[in-house]
Each structure stands twice: as structure tokens, then as C-alpha cells.
Amino acid sequence: MEDDSPVIYGLELNARALVPQHAETDVIRFIVGTQSLKFDNQIHLIDFDDESNVINKNVFMHSAGEIWSMNTSPTDKNVLATCYNKVTDSMAEIQGALWRIPPVDDNEPPSLDSPGLSPGSGHSRSLQLICTLENNHENIQSILWNPSGNGNQIVTVCEQHLNLWDVDRNSSTAESIDTARLEGKGQPKFTAGRWNPHHSGSQIATANDTTIKGWDVRTMRSVYTVENAHNQLVRDLDFNPNKQYLLVSCGDDCKVRFWDTRNTNSSLMVLQDHSHWVWSVRYNHFHDQLLLSSSSDSRVILNNIISLSSEPFGHLDEEEEEDGRQEKGSREPTKDGVIATFDEHEDSVYAVEWSTADPWVFASLSYDGRLVINRVPRAEKYKILL
């Protein structure tokens, strides 16, 4: 029986990296990467059974360093990218690598050598390194996969560079095929990036300080710029999955802003629901009126932005469409606004992600290692479906 109550999973290590397993469309699965200086870091594969409200996990060791961000291949569910802090000769820099998640042997006993593991809690094995990615001695902020390709094209977002790579997983190599650089001295560093799922995978968007830039990966040249997108640092970006020119951003000014990339002079809408920095913003993959955001105010907020969605007037009956009006007694059109605020966290919520297998399920992760799995409230779900 489906239950709206949240399900909480606790890690014993700090964490800020959360992704869904993009190539997995049958099982509700999220991946969490830990961020510890004291212990070997871990990758937790979290499977959620929405019928029984039970979480199953498998744990893999990531001894390369503390994980700052992650991504998963859109075509191979066993391939994972991490950006991790590597300390060498008293120097620390965030490097990037591609890994293969090894198969789990159900007969293998779990390892108890690391914090966060207990008998029967999941197996502990190491990730298998596919290849590392050259960072030109710059921190790699994120690794972006082309969602429209065969899983072989990625972009690394470094502090001053965007590097386009062609990955050959069979030979465990990655070849840099093009580069873009922020021009001018004293340029702020890249802080975030997102691949546009439209335009045949030919565009990405990046954030540097308060500016958002669009890039054509075929030429690695800027195609649009949003100056002063936020009053303070831009933290995250996402594209509407159904409307190809619509982009959402969030930042340290506590705001979420919507943009049309064809006209970047002003935002389409501004949300001011959070009271501290907004770290993550995500469109629902199917129902683009549903928008999640998470913040250092320890809250996750689910908004209904129907006016900027692909169905701004909702589902109309055929008779209503023909008449161009609503019959007396029919439902009132849905309005924009907050659907629900989720406050199960007690620390900064650095990441929020929708499940790729169930459009009504999402997960959020706070720095204290608390992963919370929630659902869209049933009343709102039925409004959308009916």
C-alpha cells in the first residue's frame, strides 16, 4: 500500500553528492557519495521498494578521496563519474574519474571494515576504475554526460575550462577533443553545469559567479549569456524536459529563477520560498510543472509551476476545448504555488533528485548524511492524472 510518509536512511559519514541511476528505469535507485577526510569514502547504492517502504543498499569503497559531485551514464547503469578531492604532496585538487560498479554477489559476506556498515547491511567492494580525466591542475566542478548520445560523450566543467571528451569504455580511455575557456583576466570560476536534453544534445549551460552561459558543444562557443542571473553566486541549473528553451536556476540570493534562453534580458518568474542559499533545483522528468528545490535552510520545497509548464491550462475535456470555455461546475484551473514543504532534515540539504523509474518519488540529501525519500502528495498526484 502506497504511503506518503518519508523514508529515512542514515549514513555515518558526511555527504553532499546524490544522483539517480539514469539508465535504470525499472527500479527506484539513488546513489550517494560520502565526503570524509578521516575515513575511506563510500558509494551507497540505494534501492527503494515503494510497495513495502523498504530500503536495500549496497556499499562500494571509493578510496580515491572525498566526493564532491557525481553523475551516472545515461546508457550504462554500471558506469559512474565522480569528482573527488585528491591530496598529493600537501596539495589538494578536485579530480575526476569514471568508474564501473562491480556486480554484487549475493553469497559474498558483507565487509565490516568501514563505518556505516553492519551485518546484513550490504556488501562492501571497491569501484573499478575505468579512466581518470585530466584537469589541467584546475578543480573539476562537475562531469556532464550527453543525454542524447550513446554514453561516450562527456564534458568536464573545470574552474576556467570546459573540456569535451570522447570516452572509449572498452579500452578504458578518454580523449579530449575540444576545449572552451572563460576569456579575460580575473574571470570568476565555473561553479555548475547542465547538459540541455534538447537540440540533439548540442548545448550545455554553465554558471560562473552570477552569470549563466549557454555553449554549443559542436563549436565550444557561447551562444547566449544571462548577465546577473542572480544577485549572488549561481549554485545549480536545470532544463525543462518538455519545453526546449526554458531554464531554471538557483543561488545564494535564496531565489529560484526561470529563464527563456531566447530572451535573457529578464527572468520569467522568481520564487522566494527559501530563507538561505538554494543549492539544488530539479524539474520532474515527466510532469514539468513539478519543481523541487533544496537549501541550507534545511528544507526541501515542492512547487507547482503550471503557468510555465507544457500544459499551462491542465487537462481539458474535449467539449471544453471545442467550446473554448469551461462548463459550470468543472474544476478551477490549477494555480502556481508551493505544494509541500519537507522538513525532515536538520542540516544543509545539498542535493535533491527525482527518481528515473517513478515520477512521483524523489530523494534529498543533507550534509549530516541523512537521505530522505519522499513522494509527491497523493492529492496533487491525482490532480495531475485525472
Side-chain angles (χ1 to χ4, degrees), residues 36 155 198 229 348:
S36 172
V155 163
H198 308 291
S348 295

Side-chain angles (χ1 to χ4, degrees), residues 53-73:
N53 261 17
V54 170
I55 280 179
N56 293 305
K57 74 172 182 180
N58 282 286
V59 180
F60 301 91
M61 304 312 298
H62 182 279
S63 57
E66 51 179 347
I67 301 169
W68 283 81
S69 68
M70 294 190 303
N71 206 347
T72 57
S73 166

Side-chain angles (χ1 to χ4, degrees), residues 119-334:
S121 64
H123 302 287
S124 176
R125 299 180 60 188
S126 293
L127 297 174
Q128 300 167 356
L129 179 65
I130 296 175
C131 61
T132 56
L133 302 168
E134 174 60 45
N135 62 346
N136 298 313
H137 300 291
E138 294 179 16
N139 290 331
I140 297 180
Q141 310 289 6
S142 57
I143 297 172
L144 313 178
W145 247 288
N146 187 341
S148 303
N150 57 7
N152 290 340
Q153 191 178 60
I154 60 174
V155 163
T156 52
V157 180
C158 300
E159 291 179 326
Q160 297 288 333
H161 290 84
L162 300 176
N163 290 324
L164 181 66
W165 300 82
D166 185 34
V167 178
D168 186 344
R169 287 168 303 180
N170 293 324
S171 61
S172 299
T173 59
E175 178 185 4
S176 180
I177 55 179
D178 209 347
T179 301
R181 181 180 175 84
L182 284 173
E183 299 296 335
K185 294 182 178 180
Q187 278 279 4
K189 299 172 182 177
F190 285 119
T191 55
R194 197 76 174 166
W195 207 301
N196 191 333
H198 308 291
H199 309 295
S200 300
S202 63
Q203 289 187 11
I204 64 172
T206 60
N208 59 297
D209 197 43
T210 62
T211 299
I212 297 171
K213 281 183 175 289
W215 303 82
D216 189 324
V217 297
R218 295 167 298 186
T219 61
M220 296 302 281
R221 293 188 178 183
S222 177
V223 289
Y224 60 83
T225 301
V226 186
E227 299 283 358
N228 299 313
H230 288 259
N231 296 330
Q232 298 180 47
L233 189 71
V234 180
R235 289 288 179 184
D236 199 16
L237 309 162
D238 200 17
F239 285 94
N240 187 305
N242 300 328
K243 299 184 74 173
Q244 61 180 328
Y245 298 107
L246 207 61
L247 172 71
V248 67
S249 61
C250 63
D252 284 2
D253 58 0
C254 312
K255 295 179 175 62
V256 173
R257 295 179 181 268
F258 297 83
W259 306 93
D260 187 326
T261 58
R262 297 167 297 183
N263 181 7
T264 59
N265 293 326
S266 61
S267 58
L268 302 174
M269 183 186 295
V270 181
L271 305 181
Q272 304 183 61
D273 303 315
H274 288 286
S275 59
H276 208 267
W277 303 342
V278 186
W279 283 91
S280 183
V281 62
R282 287 291 179 268
Y283 273 109
N284 187 285
H285 304 304
F286 299 98
H287 308 289
D288 57 310
Q289 66 264 51
L290 298 177
L291 186 88
L292 287 167
S293 57
S294 67
S295 164
S296 300
D297 63 10
S298 305
R299 296 185 300 158
V300 174
I301 294 179
L302 174 63
N303 264 284
N304 183 3
I305 311 298
I306 188 75
S307 65
L308 296 179
S309 74
S310 54
E311 292 186 355
F313 306 108
H315 295 281
L316 297 177
D317 294 337
E318 290 183 5
E319 304 87 59
E320 293 172 356
E321 289 180 336
E322 291 174 1
D323 292 345
R325 61 183 175 84
Q326 287 191 318
E327 297 295 333
K328 185 177 179 180
S330 64
R331 289 182 302 153
E332 288 292 320
T334 305

Side-chain angles (χ1 to χ4, degrees), residues 3-22:
D3 184 1
D4 277 349
S5 60
V7 178
I8 299 175
Y9 171 79
L11 294 82
E12 291 187 12
L13 303 178
N14 291 336
R16 64 187 298 150
L18 167 71
V19 287
Q21 196 170 37
H22 287 109

